[in-house]
Amino acid sequence: MTLTQPTLLLDEERCRKNIKKMADKARKHGLVFRPHFKTHQSLEIGRWFKEYGVEKITVSSVAMADYFSEEWDDITIAFPTNILEMEAINRLAQAITLNLLVESIEVVRYLGKHLKAKVGVFIKIDVGYQRTGIAPDAKDKIDSIISLITSFPKLDFKGFLGHAGHTYHCRDVDAVKEIHRQSLQHIHLLKAKYPQAVISLGDTPSCSLADEYEGVDEIRPGNFVFYDLVQHQIGSNTLEEISLALACPIVALHPERNEVIVYGGGVHFSKDRLEDEVHGTLFGRVVEQHGKGWGKAIPNVYVSKLSQEHGTIVLPEIEIQKYQIGDLLLVLPVHACMTAHAMHAYHTLDGQIISRL
Amino acid sequence: MTLTQPTLLLDEERCRKNIKKMADKARKHGLVFRPHFKTHQSLEIGRWFKEYGVEKITVSSVAMADYFSEEWDDITIAFPTNILEMEAINRLAQAITLNLLVESIEVVRYLGKHLKAKVGVFIKIDVGYQRTGIAPDAKDKIDSIISLITSFPKLDFKGFLGHAGHTYHCRDVDAVKEIHRQSLQHIHLLKAKYPQAVISLGDTPSCSLADEYEGVDEIRPGNFVFYDLVQHQIGSNTLEEISLALACPIVALHPERNEVIVYGGGVHFSKDRLEDEVHGTLFGRVVEQHGKGWGKAIPNVYVSKLSQEHGTIVLPEIEIQKYQIGDLLLVLPVHACMTAHAMHAYHTLDGQIISRL
């Protein structure tokens, strides 16, 4: 396969190892593994999960639920229900086991009125991230929402769903574990009051690093399928576990300032950035090419700037001499979910092209 | 038209005004107007430019040149030539008047060897941005590149192309004008030595704000077709000239912390950000809805955070009371080029859907 443009490489072996490891961990702790498919958004990669026993999935939009409903019949949309998409929600609810997320009386009432088939309902609990959800100690609000849910025959109260997205601000394993411990405390309060409720937790750092899942019924990590530099900074994965790299053609060499310019910009990587003490701001790290794939990250070789199509790569003098215009640089992404979304397909190392939504 | 998902609204009237204003300015200064189409990437919007006399365009990838070659026969690819795409470049060179950008002996030699039809060649000059290009005072290098270009019958030396992208760091009009003045100084040196060379300059801030174009032959601004909050911060445009807004459904209200959550995240806006003294970091500003379009920006109502699909909007208490779940918020983008690229189509205010590459 000759690559001529920015191309998203997927190391299937690394990817499958990540899937197997998480599936094994869920099994070990007796948890339902309901992975978040917003990261890869691909039916083909989804099929790999089936080989490790996965039967239920999570997505973050009605459009993704629609796409995956072709091959999956139990899907949770882990995003506050967008009532404007009622028509599509009804179509899905009639076709598969669909779970929706609510956090307000208004949305429950709207669903109760407009649903044409039964759906499962999770109440979003804010375990501390402060993006969406109800505070776990807002008992009156939770009680009144559950009571309204149970008053509608088309709504089936399933349980509570939390996402500790604040683990993304952690820079070490202990900090992630501390947030996870706090999430569990919140969850135990809810579980004590509503013992039948399913408890669903989700973020990749907690699911990668924590070892204690008392009171939890299912986990919904997504990013782990690829991992990335943000997750590596948090401590969720080694660099060797990252299964995506963006191959970028070198188009200009600037040895006078230790830089090369690649065809590969914000429209390919996304503009998500990482701050660290060594590099300052970076948008990716360059790895050694090994055969059809890649090996270790090259020290001090990283993407320092991104324009729409240009990427600026910093290389020490000794490295820059190894490259010429027309070579490809392979770059580990800062945020795999965003890079995967920005690109239109995955290229496996043996030349297979995998499409996505 | 009922909008149910994040939708990119285009105010055609504002957009056409922006096009006309820049076309008039180019005409007034006797400049060839070769707009950069990477911003809108749409054949339909491109046709509007024809109504204002535009006959030549700029793009930033071979893929874009290919797309626009259906309706345009004079295209400059203002990106360092990616020699890996030689096959596609040859196809284009045989079909239209194609101009390429070079900044090294290696690429000129490669083109000389592999081109199957004549192309125009611009030498990229670094007017101070330090992304790509040759220093304007590197006379020996420039001489040797020109001499190599002229030695190949398929290469036609056209002139020098500069992009003062460092105007994007300016925060007032005088700073932009000072950078433009420096660009002109560089250009005058080159023009003195190579009087036949075409001089092409490009960034939207300089083209919007400067009044002096002595020695310049053509301009290549792109962003001005939409403008955005970054350009507004620089001083290139008023907020009323911004012709794009992203309509986002409200999915959750959090009056306890003056926030609402919309369906509209990094995959819709892009993750480009703006820093200002009033808001800190922001990813968009909310405007008042007027009829089918929009009016003024609402003070202190802005996008403070973006996840993959979630946008967090900050609203003062008095504003939040006006909204309910299922309403749309209209948001001016921080960087229109990136938001337009992230979305798949434009919706005009009268309900027409305009596609793009």
Side-chain angles (χ1 to χ4, degrees):
Chain A
M1 179 172 47
T2 313
L3 306 181
T4 62
Q5 293 175 36
T7 305
L8 190 56
L9 301 180
L10 171 60
D11 184 324
E12 181 175 337
E13 197 183 324
R14 293 181 193 223
C15 183
R16 283 179 176 269
K17 267 191 202 165
N18 293 338
I19 298 169
K20 180 176 187 306
K21 191 172 165 189
M22 196 62 86
D24 287 346
K25 183 169 185 178
R27 198 170 295 117
K28 178 184 155 195
H29 291 277
L31 301 163
V32 170
F33 181 32
R34 187 190 278 277
H36 207 318
F37 277 15
K38 80 181 171 85
T39 301
H40 60 78
Q41 295 184 54
S42 162
L43 279 169
E44 171 67 21
I45 297 175
R47 283 176 212 127
W48 302 351
F49 283 78
K50 291 192 179 179
E51 297 175 30
Y52 303 98
V54 173
E55 295 174 341
K56 305 170 174 187
I57 65 168
T58 308
V59 299
S60 53
S61 69
V62 176
M64 281 184 222
D66 200 39
Y67 169 75
F68 282 112
S69 68
E70 204 180 298
E71 297 187 10
W72 298 83
D73 60 9
D74 191 333
I75 301 180
T76 297
I77 303 177
F79 186 86
T81 301
N82 175 19
I83 59 171
L84 298 179
E85 293 182 281
M86 202 60 227
E87 214 178 293
I89 289 170
N90 269 323
R91 261 200 321 273
L92 279 165
Q94 283 159 341
I96 61 164
T97 299
L98 183 70
N99 295 313
L100 299 177
L101 205 55
V102 301
E103 58 161 80
S104 68
I105 289 284
E106 301 92 296
V107 169
V108 174
R109 194 173 289 132
Y110 190 94
L111 288 174
K113 253 191 195 168
H114 295 90
L115 271 170
K116 293 183 180 153
K118 202 157 186 166
V119 301
V121 178
F122 279 89
I123 295 179
K124 177 71 190 284
I125 296 298
D126 183 1
V127 292
Y129 183 32
Q130 296 208 308
R131 184 176 63 183
T132 55
I134 303 172
D137 56 0
K139 287 176 195 168
D140 293 349
K141 186 164 182 192
I142 293 173
D143 284 346
S144 60
I145 289 182
I146 293 177
S147 136
L148 189 65
I149 291 172
T150 50
S151 76
F152 289 112
K154 296 273 194 293
L155 296 181
D156 180 18
F157 175 62
K158 288 282 185 178
F160 302 103
L161 186 148
H163 173 68
H166 46 322
T167 55
Y168 278 63
H169 303 133
C170 297
R171 291 296 170 264
D172 63 67
V173 176
D174 287 344
V176 172
K177 286 188 172 174
E178 174 57 22
I179 285 177
H180 182 66
R181 202 186 54 75
Q182 291 163 12
S183 299
L184 288 184
Q185 277 189 337
H186 296 315
I187 287 314
H188 292 159
L189 286 176
L190 293 165
K191 196 78 178 178
K193 186 149 185 212
Y194 308 95
Q196 305 305 320
V198 171
I199 300 290
S200 172
L201 288 183
D203 59 299
T204 281
S206 297
C207 294
S208 300
L209 298 170
D211 281 317
E212 165 62 45
Y213 295 90
E214 178 73 30
V216 181
D217 298 294
E218 72 170 25
I219 55 169
R220 310 180 321 278
N223 179 288
F224 73 94
V225 63
F226 300 143
Y227 281 127
D228 56 31
L229 296 178
V230 165
Q231 293 293 339
H232 174 253
Q233 187 180 48
I234 294 167
S236 305
N237 59 282
T238 63
L239 288 177
E240 289 67 32
E241 287 175 310
I242 298 175
S243 63
L244 282 188
L246 193 64
C248 301
I250 293 177
V251 295
L253 299 167
H254 290 278
E256 72 282 6
R257 51 177 184 262
N258 294 327
E259 286 178 359
V260 307
I261 300 296
V262 294
Y263 178 19
V267 296
H268 308 102
F269 284 98
S270 101
K271 286 279 186 93
D272 254 320
R273 60 178 72 187
L274 186 71
E275 313 286 340
D276 80 13
E277 285 165 15
V278 182
H279 310 91
T281 299
L282 74 156
F283 298 89
R285 286 186 63 184
V286 177
V287 287
E288 290 170 356
Q289 292 173 46
H290 276 185
K292 292 177 174 176
W294 65 89
K296 285 189 192 310
I298 310 171
N300 304 314
V301 180
Y302 63 99
V303 184
S304 65
K305 279 181 255 156
L306 290 176
S307 318
Q308 186 166 335
E309 275 93 13
H310 299 75
T312 302
I313 313 250
V314 173
L315 295 100
E317 204 179 335
I318 191 166
E319 283 295 329
I320 209 164
Q321 296 161 1
K322 300 179 187 167
Y323 297 100
Q324 53 187 7
I325 289 168
D327 286 349
L328 294 170
L329 286 180
L330 270 50
V331 184
L332 301 180
V334 161
H335 187 177
C337 307
M338 291 295 289
T339 305
H341 184 93
M343 300 300 293
H344 301 293
Y346 306 90
H347 289 235
T348 65
L349 304 187
D350 56 9
Q352 195 197 343
I353 294 175
I354 295 180
S355 66
R356 49 150 285 238
L357 172 58
Chain B
M1 178 173 43
T2 313
L3 306 181
T4 62
Q5 293 175 37
T7 305
L8 191 56
L9 301 180
L10 171 60
D11 184 324
E12 181 175 338
E13 197 183 323
R14 293 180 193 224
C15 183
R16 283 179 176 271
K17 267 191 201 166
N18 293 338
I19 297 170
K20 181 176 186 308
K21 192 173 165 189
M22 195 62 84
D24 288 347
K25 183 169 186 178
R27 197 169 296 117
K28 179 183 155 194
H29 291 278
L31 300 164
V32 171
F33 181 32
R34 186 190 279 277
H36 207 316
F37 278 13
K38 81 181 171 86
T39 301
H40 59 78
Q41 295 183 54
S42 162
L43 280 169
E44 172 67 22
I45 297 174
R47 283 177 211 126
W48 302 351
F49 283 79
K50 292 191 179 178
E51 297 175 30
Y52 303 97
V54 173
E55 294 173 344
K56 305 170 175 188
I57 65 168
T58 308
V59 299
S60 53
S61 69
V62 176
M64 282 184 222
D66 199 40
Y67 169 77
F68 283 112
S69 68
E70 202 180 299
E71 298 187 9
W72 297 83
D73 60 9
D74 192 332
I75 301 180
T76 297
I77 303 178
F79 186 87
T81 301
N82 175 20
I83 59 171
L84 298 181
E85 293 182 283
M86 202 61 227
E87 214 178 293
I89 289 170
N90 269 323
R91 261 200 321 273
L92 278 165
Q94 282 159 342
I96 61 165
T97 299
L98 183 70
N99 295 313
L100 298 178
L101 206 56
V102 301
E103 59 162 78
S104 68
I105 290 284
E106 300 93 295
V107 170
V108 174
R109 193 171 291 133
Y110 190 94
L111 288 174
K113 252 191 197 169
H114 294 90
L115 271 168
K116 292 183 180 154
K118 202 159 186 164
V119 301
V121 179
F122 280 89
I123 295 178
K124 178 71 190 286
I125 296 297
D126 182 1
V127 292
Y129 182 32
Q130 296 207 308
R131 185 176 62 182
T132 56
I134 303 172
D137 56 1
K139 288 175 192 165
D140 292 349
K141 187 165 182 189
I142 293 172
D143 283 347
S144 60
I145 289 183
I146 293 177
S147 135
L148 188 64
I149 291 172
T150 50
S151 77
F152 290 110
K154 297 272 193 294
L155 296 181
D156 180 18
F157 174 63
K158 288 281 182 179
F160 302 103
L161 185 147
H163 173 68
H166 46 322
T167 54
Y168 277 63
H169 302 135
C170 297
R171 293 294 171 266
D172 62 68
V173 176
D174 287 343
V176 172
K177 286 187 171 174
E178 174 57 23
I179 285 176
H180 182 66
R181 202 187 53 74
Q182 291 163 13
S183 298
L184 289 184
Q185 277 189 337
H186 296 315
I187 287 315
H188 292 158
L189 286 177
L190 292 165
K191 196 80 178 177
K193 184 147 185 213
Y194 308 96
Q196 305 306 320
V198 171
I199 300 290
S200 173
L201 289 183
D203 59 297
T204 281
S206 297
C207 294
S208 300
L209 297 171
D211 281 316
E212 167 61 46
Y213 295 90
E214 179 72 30
V216 181
D217 298 293
E218 72 170 23
I219 54 170
R220 309 179 323 277
N223 179 287
F224 73 95
V225 64
F226 300 142
Y227 283 128
D228 56 31
L229 296 179
V230 165
Q231 293 292 339
H232 174 253
Q233 188 180 46
I234 295 167
S236 305
N237 59 284
T238 63
L239 288 178
E240 289 68 32
E241 286 174 311
I242 298 175
S243 62
L244 281 188
L246 192 65
C248 302
I250 294 177
V251 294
L253 299 167
H254 290 278
E256 73 282 5
R257 52 176 184 262
N258 293 327
E259 287 178 359
V260 307
I261 301 297
V262 294
Y263 178 20
V267 296
H268 308 101
F269 284 98
S270 100
K271 285 280 186 93
D272 254 321
R273 61 178 72 189
L274 186 71
E275 313 286 339
D276 80 14
E277 285 165 16
V278 183
H279 310 91
T281 300
L282 73 158
F283 298 88
R285 286 186 64 182
V286 177
V287 287
E288 290 170 357
Q289 292 173 47
H290 276 186
K292 291 177 176 176
W294 65 89
K296 285 190 193 307
I298 310 172
N300 304 315
V301 181
Y302 63 99
V303 184
S304 64
K305 278 182 256 158
L306 290 177
S307 318
Q308 185 166 337
E309 274 93 14
H310 299 75
T312 302
I313 313 250
V314 173
L315 297 101
E317 205 179 335
I318 191 165
E319 282 295 330
I320 209 165
Q321 295 161 0
K322 300 179 186 167
Y323 297 101
Q324 53 187 7
I325 289 167
D327 285 350
L328 294 170
L329 286 180
L330 270 49
V331 184
L332 301 179
V334 161
H335 187 176
C337 307
M338 291 294 289
T339 304
H341 183 93
M343 299 300 293
H344 301 292
Y346 305 91
H347 288 234
T348 66
L349 305 186
D350 56 8
Q352 194 196 343
I353 294 174
I354 296 179
S355 66
R356 49 151 283 240
L357 172 57

